[in-house]
Amino acid sequence: MKNPKQPFGQAPKPQTPDAVRAWISVVKAYNLCDGVLASRLAALGLSTAEHEILVNLLREPGLNQQALVKRCFNAKSHVSALLQGLQKRGLLKREIDPTDARAKQLFLLAPGKKLAEKCMAIQNHVVALMAEPLEPAEFALIQDTMGRINEVLELEMLKLQA
């Protein structure tokens, strides 16, 4: 039986030069997007992970930590540590969830809301930059293509975690 945690295995389809070039272009675009976003956020004294937290709480005040972790692209322990830091900086507060006394709801304080709005403006600017060279029909194509790629990679992650 093949070990799914084995670092190398046979690819489902043979790699082609086109596939490799496409993969490199996706990685390059991701790295550039991450670099632009991180540089702009650094000017606000924030990391990308802190940005994710602030923007999620701006969009949906009162999220609990478990729901927030599912929306962020970071480990539970990392989100927990970031929340503590953001709370110490006076950007958010935790309140007991009225429906579950074991859970805490998260809310932005006024300075956190102001900072989250700046984060959202930065994110919107980066998205606009990425969308600038595209035609409207290409958005659906990109979303569909990346969705199919995400499904394959998510299944692979499940195998690796088993």
Side-chain angles (χ1 to χ4, degrees), residues 116-133:
E117 288 167 349
K118 290 179 182 179
C119 286
M120 184 62 89
I122 289 170
Q123 178 178 308
N124 289 342
H125 175 75
V126 173
V127 171
L129 285 172
M130 291 172 59
E132 191 175 302

Side-chain angles (χ1 to χ4, degrees), residues 15-35:
Q15 290 185 9
T16 65
D18 288 340
V20 173
R21 282 191 294 275
W23 175 73
I24 289 171
S25 69
V26 169
V27 172
K28 182 178 180 181
Y30 168 80
N31 285 329
L32 289 168
C33 174
D34 185 57

